[in-house]
Amino acid sequence: MILTDIQTYLAEHHQVALIDLENHFHLDANALRGMLQKLIHKGRVKKLEMNQKCGHCNDCAPDCLEFYQWLGKE
């Protein structure tokens, strides 16, 4: 059920930071990564490569820089 909820959330928002998923679903980042891996394997979601920080403070949490994109495949 939660996997379907994550798919719906991603489909509605198109591109989401891991931290937003954590806050919305009240789940640990590692648990979400496992579920997102299943969606990536099915070709429904893509992990975006965000290699750059803003350059101001370097204090950004890694979860804030980890983004996932809905690919629109059912």
Side-chain angles (χ1 to χ4, degrees):
M1 179 173 192
I2 190 76
L3 200 57
T4 303
D5 295 337
I6 292 171
Q7 285 184 122
T8 301
Y9 188 84
L10 281 163
E12 290 173 357
H13 294 87
H14 306 289
Q15 185 173 308
V16 179
L18 182 61
I19 191 77
D20 293 332
L21 291 170
E22 286 180 74
N23 291 333
H24 183 80
F25 292 104
H26 307 286
L27 291 172
D28 177 70
N30 289 325
L32 283 164
R33 283 185 187 107
M35 290 181 255
L36 289 162
Q37 273 305 119
K38 289 181 182 183
L39 295 174
I40 290 168
H41 182 70
K42 291 181 177 185
R44 297 177 184 166
V45 173
K46 174 183 174 182
K47 182 178 178 183
L48 300 176
E49 298 298 324
M50 306 297 276
N51 296 328
Q52 294 182 349
K53 293 186 178 185
C54 67
H56 291 99
C57 68
N58 294 322
D59 286 337
C60 297
D63 298 352
C64 293
L65 300 173
E66 190 172 331
F67 285 84
Y68 293 86
Q69 180 180 35
W70 176 248
L71 297 177
K73 297 178 182 177
E74 294 299 322

